[in-house]
Amino acid sequence: MDFERLRAEGEKAGFTNVALLDCSTMELKKEVRDMCASGQCKRYGTNWACPPACGTLEECEARIRKFKRGLLVQTVGELEDELDGEGMMEAQERHKENFVRFLTVLRKEFPELLALGAGTCTVCASCSYPDAPCRFPEKAFSSVESYGVLVMQLCKDNQMEYYYGKDHIAYTSCYLLE
């Protein structure tokens, strides 16, 4: 894997930061998955890419352990203040666009990659779960948290900042490549 070339391509796709990901640092925690079940984001049990449909922690871990290296990517947005919801949403939307754009690029070289985004899959305006199969399984993606991984710890373990101050927000995703 030519990390410097991939870093440049990630930055070209719009990410603020791109770091090499050591997949062995991805620790799956029941406590993180329990946050999904608590209903905070209101997607638990409503989306093919979210728990419980994305699989048990054991199934998620089996998928992750097929990989040794990948990329950790981040979009950092500036906020007017720490309560700037509009700025948060703009940064989140920019991150999702960057994520899908770079996923398209990476799939050409790494067709078996595992992509984990920030937040729930939004490929479809309305998910078909549980009434019908996923309409776009080749485009759908789970979040890092849905796999039970604490993003703050993942960033720390892979030399990427997580907190940029109260007037910034960071959205973090990863691509497991090889």
Side-chain angles (χ1 to χ4, degrees), residues 78-85 88 163 165-169:
E78 285 191 45
L79 305 174
E80 290 181 21
D81 58 47
E82 57 193 280
L83 300 176
D84 179 8
M88 290 177 198
Y163 180 68
K166 64 181 180 169
D167 294 339
H168 292 83
I169 190 161

Side-chain angles (χ1 to χ4, degrees), residues 115-139:
L116 298 175
T120 191
C121 179
T122 54
V123 171
C124 300
S126 176
C127 186
S128 63
Y129 182 86
D131 302 320
C134 177
R135 291 184 283 266
F136 300 102
E138 72 286 352
K139 293 181 180 181

Side-chain angles (χ1 to χ4, degrees), residues 2-75:
D2 182 352
F3 174 66
E4 290 307 320
R5 177 182 57 81
L6 292 175
R7 178 198 309 259
E9 288 183 28
E11 290 171 353
K12 183 179 175 184
F15 291 112
T16 309
N17 299 308
V18 180
L20 187 61
L21 171 64
D22 175 354
C23 296
S24 71
T25 64
M26 299 181 80
E27 183 181 349
L28 284 68
K29 298 178 180 251
K30 182 183 180 309
E31 299 84 357
V32 176
R33 177 60 76 84
D34 288 346
M35 286 189 285
C36 292
S38 74
Q40 288 179 325
C41 81
K42 301 188 181 14
R43 296 293 186 165
Y44 185 87
T46 67
N47 190 302
W48 282 110
C50 291
C54 68
T56 65
L57 282 180
E58 294 77 19
E59 291 167 333
C60 292
E61 180 141 23
R63 286 182 213 122
I64 286 173
R65 297 303 166 225
K66 293 178 183 175
F67 300 92
K68 294 194 183 318
R69 298 187 307 168
L71 297 173
L72 194 58
V73 295
Q74 198 173 64
T75 303

Side-chain angles (χ1 to χ4, degrees), residues 86-121:
E86 187 176 313
M88 290 177 198
M89 296 304 288
E90 287 173 6
Q92 181 182 36
E93 185 60 32
R94 194 168 71 249
H95 182 76
K96 284 199 179 217
E97 289 170 4
N98 297 343
F99 181 78
V100 171
R101 183 180 310 115
F102 197 36
L103 178 58
T104 302
V105 170
L106 289 173
R107 277 204 198 274
K108 293 173 187 168
E109 187 173 344
F110 303 96
E112 301 301 316
L113 69 81
L114 174 60
L116 298 175
T120 191
C121 179

